[in-house]
Amino acid sequence: MTSWQITRVFAGVFILVTLALGAPASPLYVSAWWLWGTVFVGANLLQSGLTRWCPMEIFMRKLGLRAGA
């Protein structure tokens, strides 16, 4: 997998986990404060789409993963 694929998989998993922990209807509910994690990832995805700059992807490349095409 390339860095951009792993970044998007990580974002998707993070959003699902924070929703499960923050949504009151979830059986895994802990606190509504977890929803701020969803807001953070959503905002980063938005700015990444507009600016073509993603801190997570830079971090992945520094770990040695190849960039996506």
Side-chain angles (χ1 to χ4, degrees):
M1 290 179 82
T2 61
S3 64
W4 68 268
Q5 289 171 311
I6 293 173
T7 298
R8 279 138 188 90
V9 167
F10 182 83
V13 168
F14 193 87
I15 287 172
L16 291 174
V17 168
T18 57
L19 280 175
L21 295 174
S26 169
L28 302 175
Y29 176 75
V30 175
S31 169
W33 287 99
W34 280 100
L35 295 176
W36 284 105
T38 305
V39 171
F40 176 75
V41 173
N44 275 299
L45 287 170
L46 177 65
Q47 76 80 24
S48 172
L50 296 174
T51 65
R52 301 182 73 175
W53 180 78
C54 178
M56 182 70 176
E57 200 165 335
I58 293 168
F59 176 71
M60 292 287 184
R61 288 188 197 146
K62 288 189 182 207
L63 288 177
L65 295 163
R66 64 186 168 93

